[in-house]
Amino acid sequence: MAWALKLPLTDEVIESGLVQDFDASLSGIGQELGAGAYSMSDVLALPIFKQEESNLPPDTDNKILPFQYVLCAATSPAVKLHDETLTYLNQGQSYEIRMLDNRKMGELPEITGKMVKSIIRVVFHDRRLQYTEHQQLEGWRWNRPGDRILDLDIPMSVGMIDPRANPTQLNTVEFLWDPSKRTSVFIQVHCISTEFTMRKHGGEKGVPFRIQIDTFKENEGGEYTEHLHSASCQVKVFKPKGADRKQKTDREKMEKRAPQEKEKYQPSYETTILTECSPWPEVTYVNNSPSPGFNSTHNSFPVAEGNGSPNHQPEPVVQAADVSMNSVCLSGFINLLPAATPQDAQQWLHRNRFSPFCRLFTNFSGADLLKLTREDVIQICGPADGIRLFNALKGRVVRPRLTIYVCQESQQAREQQQKHENGDAATSTFFVYHAIYLEELTAAELTEKIAQLFNISPRQISQIFKQGPTGIHVLVSDEMIQNFQDEVCFVLDTMKDDTNDGYHIILK
């Protein structure tokens, strides 16, 4: 090309100059990198290698991270470089979490001057325990009645508004806060890591937990449902002062390691930065299903007006779709059918206490679940829950301890009885009986089942009597029910209770 011929330097001159520059750049390197003058730990101490930078997802440059949460507890020094930090906490001790506004100028203007809601929860770190979280927490509830897994230390907290702790969610607390003001929340974790180990013979390694914070902004309807940010950190909880001893033990172990080994581990930071994560899926574990043996959409059978009739509202007409749903999903009575849709299958799993596995079987229909072999279910759910789920899918309904049949005494039946006693010809009457299945064999259970059958409140039934010899009324007790013959038949009559608005039920 014509312009290349005008260059004043030949190729040989350029090459010679580059070699001289490169040789000069190598001089003095031996003197600069003397023994002890340069180490890998110095490089790792640079800001680009610090914990809060290394733990961020790779695409954070394109994300808006509006908040940062700092747990005021030191991280363990016995964590390798590329592993997530681990923080030790003492059971019941108050720990501060600083809620920091991390927005740049002009970012997320819609929350400026407004409140946001944050939900703090203690969850399992291990995936295996996450799948059985509901059962694990329910077991903890039974072993520690009245206690909570997570609490807020409200007197020590600053900037927190409207704190709430749902009594059915022992591991969750929530509150409102203003990002423009200083906010520090103090939390207390009351469970310890060894409470969820498989065996308890002493010295077991405790399971790690996660402290996760999910923050939401207000939507147009005034509800805090629009997700803004989530972050979490890994912790282990020890008995009081156990975290301090564990931290000291880890520090002493690291001091005994060779310098080359120390370089493979993170330094201990005075505080723990919660790192960005996915929002926690909202799963409601409250069991709103009726007690075993009750159908929530049964037909309404009005009680006979004999000596008085309990007031009750008529049962709404059950649509065909509702009948189909109940025939598929009722726990304890009807098995899952192949025709069940994925939504029906989810309902069936919830009602049969398999809620932790609903996410795994999100798109499974009834036919899909029924095709699973015993080995498939055990591999997915683990031995204990897998066997239980397989038995629920394939098994039959367990026979109740006692079955009784009851029939409502109607005015027509009384007229027929009166005619029969007067010697008049009585036409045949068709009587309909209803089955009541008892498991506990108690008077309270019988009261509840009768109230459910006739769509009234159990409080409206004052007492249940059994008509004895010469027409006497014998109070029905637990012992009497335990001596009932199986499949015995009774005719029900009612009598007004003079002391209150209730009614007595008489078994004839």
Side-chain angles (χ1 to χ4, degrees), residues 218-278:
E218 196 174 10
N219 61 12
E220 296 179 356
E223 298 178 347
Y224 292 90
T225 56
E226 295 191 23
H227 179 259
L228 284 174
H229 180 243
S230 294
S232 65
C233 65
Q234 183 182 193
V235 300
K236 278 191 176 183
V237 185
F238 297 81
K239 290 183 178 180
K241 298 185 179 180
D244 305 324
R245 291 192 294 268
K246 178 62 174 172
Q247 187 81 358
K248 180 181 178 181
T249 301
D250 285 358
R251 187 169 56 249
E252 291 174 349
K253 286 182 178 179
M254 292 306 301
E255 290 175 353
K256 295 178 181 178
R257 293 183 180 271
Q260 295 82 358
E261 286 293 318
K262 291 182 181 179
E263 294 176 356
K264 299 178 182 179
Y265 290 84
Q266 302 180 22
S268 176
Y269 299 96
E270 294 183 359
T271 59
T272 304
I273 308 295
L274 277 68
T275 56
E276 188 188 10
C277 64
S278 301

Side-chain angles (χ1 to χ4, degrees), residues 250-401:
D250 285 358
R251 187 169 56 249
E252 291 174 349
K253 286 182 178 179
M254 292 306 301
E255 290 175 353
K256 295 178 181 178
R257 293 183 180 271
Q260 295 82 358
E261 286 293 318
K262 291 182 181 179
E263 294 176 356
K264 299 178 182 179
Y265 290 84
Q266 302 180 22
S268 176
Y269 299 96
E270 294 183 359
T271 59
T272 304
I273 308 295
L274 277 68
T275 56
E276 188 188 10
C277 64
S278 301
W280 189 259
E282 287 294 334
V283 178
T284 302
Y285 292 124
V286 182
N287 184 12
N288 293 323
S289 61
S291 302
F294 285 111
N295 186 334
S296 59
T297 55
H298 56 76
N299 295 326
S300 175
F301 305 108
V303 178
E305 292 190 3
N307 297 327
S309 173
N311 296 324
H312 64 275
Q313 297 180 353
E315 182 78 5
V317 178
V318 180
Q319 301 296 330
D322 297 333
V323 174
S324 174
M325 173 71 74
N326 289 325
S327 65
V328 172
C329 297
L330 278 178
S331 169
F333 274 96
I334 299 176
N335 292 334
L336 184 69
L337 300 180
T341 65
Q343 292 77 16
D344 295 343
Q346 291 287 301
Q347 293 263 356
W348 185 88
L349 290 169
H350 275 292
R351 290 180 181 270
N352 286 273
R353 298 181 294 113
F354 295 107
S355 299
F357 307 106
C358 285
R359 281 184 290 173
L360 292 174
F361 299 116
T362 300
N363 298 318
F364 279 62
S365 65
D368 296 330
L369 286 172
L370 291 170
K371 288 178 183 177
L372 295 174
T373 65
R374 187 173 185 270
E375 290 72 20
D376 293 336
V377 179
I378 291 176
Q379 186 175 1
I380 294 172
C381 304
D385 290 301
I387 293 173
R388 191 169 66 88
L389 177 56
F390 180 79
N391 290 338
L393 289 170
K394 307 293 184 180
R396 296 182 178 180
V397 179
V398 178
R399 182 176 177 84
R401 295 179 63 188

